[in-house]
């Protein structure tokens, strides 16, 4: 029985929910409350939810598409590690668009981290993107805003790390 991911119907839903929960419950952002146990619970349930929904994708018309023939090569840790690494990059906006992750904002100072996570630069869109190999681009002539409108988008700005005075 899923507690944190109970309303998910597709892998895209699972990823959106995970990103939202990571921003809300990550121990680095909750200095007054110890959220370590909550975040560990979310991480464990994310793996379960990922495995349940990994081959169920949102179709363009909003329906779900269970496609066993194109089984994903992505692992639960790949996406989780990406979000947890980027969540600390101050000024970077993370957008989950379908099964792709797009980064905009103040990315230049974080480009080494972004590259190490396997992101590629889309010069025409002025944004970084990440996806697994089974997802191929069919939107090279579209703007990033058009892509977001077509596939739906959830975005969360990263939180600044506390700075020593």
């Amino acid at each position: 029985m899923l507690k944190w991911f109970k309303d998910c119907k597709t892998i895209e839903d699972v990823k959106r929910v995970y990103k939202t929960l990571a921003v809300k419950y990550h121990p680095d952002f909750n200095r007054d409350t110890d959220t370590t146990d909550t975040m560990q619970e979310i991480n464990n349930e994310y793996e379960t939810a990922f495995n349940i929904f990994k081959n169920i994708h949102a179709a363009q018309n909003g329906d779900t598409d269970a496609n066993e023939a194109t089984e994903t090569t992505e692992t639960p840790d790949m996406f989780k590690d990406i979000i947890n690494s980027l969540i600390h990059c101050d000024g970077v906006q993370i957008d989950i668009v379908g099964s792709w992750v797009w980064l905009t904002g103040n990315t230049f100072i974080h480009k080494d981290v972004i590259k190490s996570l396997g992101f590629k630069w889309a010069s025409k869109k002025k944004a970084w993107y990440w996806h697994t190999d089974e997802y191929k681009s069919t939107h090279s002539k579209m703007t990033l805003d058009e892509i977001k409108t077509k596939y739906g988008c959830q975005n969360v700005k990263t939180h600044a790390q506390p700075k020593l005075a």
Side-chain angles (χ1 to χ4, degrees):
M1 178 90 172
L2 298 176
K3 172 183 173 183
W4 298 100
F5 299 90
K6 65 179 180 244
D7 294 329
C8 295
K9 293 182 173 67
T10 66
I11 190 64
E12 291 83 8
D13 292 340
V14 171
K15 290 177 178 182
R16 278 190 291 273
V17 169
Y18 179 79
K19 187 178 76 167
T20 302
L21 293 170
V23 169
K24 185 174 182 179
Y25 292 105
H26 199 283
D28 290 350
F29 303 132
N30 291 282
R31 301 269 186 226
D32 299 334
T33 308
D34 184 9
T35 59
T36 304
D37 290 341
T38 302
M39 196 65 218
Q40 288 174 345
E41 181 182 323
I42 291 166
N43 284 336
N44 290 335
E45 190 174 305
Y46 169 75
E47 189 166 339
T48 301
F50 182 94
N51 288 324
I52 292 169
F53 295 104
K54 68 183 178 183
N55 295 318
I56 302 173
H57 302 279
Q60 289 181 11
N61 64 2
D63 293 339
T64 58
D65 175 27
N67 191 346
E68 299 291 333
T70 57
E71 195 166 314
T72 186
T73 59
E74 182 182 345
T75 66
D77 288 339
M78 289 170 79
F79 183 77
K80 186 169 61 173
D81 291 345
I82 285 173
I83 296 302
N84 285 326
S85 296
L86 293 172
I87 209 164
H88 299 293
C89 295
D90 187 26
V92 174
Q93 181 170 319
I94 306 167
D95 293 321
I96 298 178
V97 183
S99 293
W100 291 48
V101 180
W102 289 88
L103 304 177
T104 55
N106 190 13
T107 60
F108 183 77
I109 61 174
H110 304 288
K111 71 178 180 175
D112 292 336
V113 171
I114 293 168
K115 284 181 180 180
S116 74
L117 295 170
F119 279 78
K120 294 182 177 94
W121 177 251
S123 59
K124 291 181 182 176
K125 294 173 180 50
K126 304 281 188 245
W128 294 89
Y129 66 92
W130 176 89
H131 64 87
T132 55
D133 291 337
E134 63 263 16
Y135 300 110
K136 302 297 179 194
S137 174
T138 58
H139 43 65
S140 60
K141 297 191 188 298
M142 298 171 71
T143 67
L144 187 52
D145 286 337
E146 290 170 334
I147 295 167
K148 289 177 182 180
T149 300
K150 182 174 181 176
Y151 295 100
C153 174
Q154 189 218 3
N155 59 50
V156 175
K157 292 180 182 165
T158 55
H159 296 290
Q161 285 285 18
K163 308 235 186 305
L164 297 175

